[in-house]
Amino acid sequence: MARIEGKVGFVDGENMYHVMRKAGYRGLVSAEALMREMTHNMGPCRVWSQKPVITMLPTFAEGAPGEAFRNAGFNVIGCTSDGEADDNTLKACIGKITSAIAAEVLILSCDGGYTKTLRDLKARRVRVVWAAADITDKTGNSCLSRGLQFRLKEEFQFVDLVRIFPRID
């Protein structure tokens, strides 16, 4: 059986918004720019096996922001972060990925709650590219826990979103 060489992507939309704000950006992501960056500058795969998934609040998913992301090629899922509903939604989507579907999974989030799910993917021989922002806020607190900083850089292929923010905001 031939190995699939495409990738799938997952964006924790609310997490991205808050991290961009902490980094001093507006947090108003250009859907087309984000798709371009995810396709060409995050991970070695340049072809999508499936549309990348982005979660966002239902009011945004049903409005103009959701439409912009759908037009750019994203699968938009409206859900809240109450009880980690958005994280659980993405974990369920990620959990369905196998090497028969994609060679690479790209996730954009500073949330360490995805670690187990992504480790499971690695065990199934799927390359994991984790994009997060390694920044500190005005009070000196990092957006990433010390443990997550280590895991991202040692266990997974890490992409620092700080270099991407100026091109997508």
Side-chain angles (χ1 to χ4, degrees):
M1 181 172 163
R3 181 168 167 83
I4 302 294
E5 288 301 322
K7 67 180 167 183
V8 293
F10 302 93
V11 181
D12 185 343
E14 191 168 353
N15 180 272
M16 285 282 299
Y17 170 78
H18 291 293
V19 169
M20 287 184 75
R21 299 285 301 190
K22 279 185 179 180
Y25 294 92
R26 299 173 304 152
L28 304 174
V29 174
S30 161
E32 290 179 1
L34 181 59
M35 177 62 87
R36 187 172 45 254
E37 290 296 325
M38 288 175 65
T39 302
H40 299 290
N41 297 319
M42 296 183 198
C45 288
R46 301 288 181 258
V47 177
W48 295 101
S49 297
Q50 298 176 352
K51 289 182 176 184
V53 173
I54 184 168
T55 56
M56 60 180 67
L57 294 172
T59 53
F60 294 125
E62 296 163 9
E67 183 177 340
F69 278 91
R70 280 187 291 280
N71 289 341
F74 287 86
N75 178 9
V76 178
I77 299 176
C79 56
T80 69
S81 58
D82 296 341
E84 299 184 356
D86 56 345
D87 296 350
N88 292 332
T89 297
L90 286 181
K91 286 177 197 175
C93 293
I94 294 167
K96 295 175 185 173
I97 303 302
T98 66
S99 59
I101 295 171
E104 178 178 295
V105 166
L106 167 63
I107 184 162
L108 282 68
S109 179
C110 293
D111 189 332
Y114 297 103
T115 303
K116 181 186 179 320
T117 306
L118 296 173
R119 281 179 177 152
D120 292 346
L121 270 178
K122 277 186 65 176
R124 295 192 305 255
R125 296 186 168 163
V126 176
R127 182 184 317 106
V128 176
V129 178
W130 196 331
D134 193 3
I135 60 167
T136 54
D137 62 19
K138 294 174 186 171
T139 63
N141 295 317
S142 176
C143 288
L144 304 174
S145 70
R146 194 172 300 270
L148 181 57
Q149 288 174 3
F150 177 79
R151 285 192 304 272
L152 286 177
K153 295 173 183 175
E154 295 297 318
E155 292 185 46
F156 305 103
Q157 183 176 336
F158 174 69
V159 174
D160 192 351
L161 288 174
V162 172
R163 67 180 181 81
I164 306 293
F165 286 164
R167 297 193 298 261
I168 64 173
D169 187 54

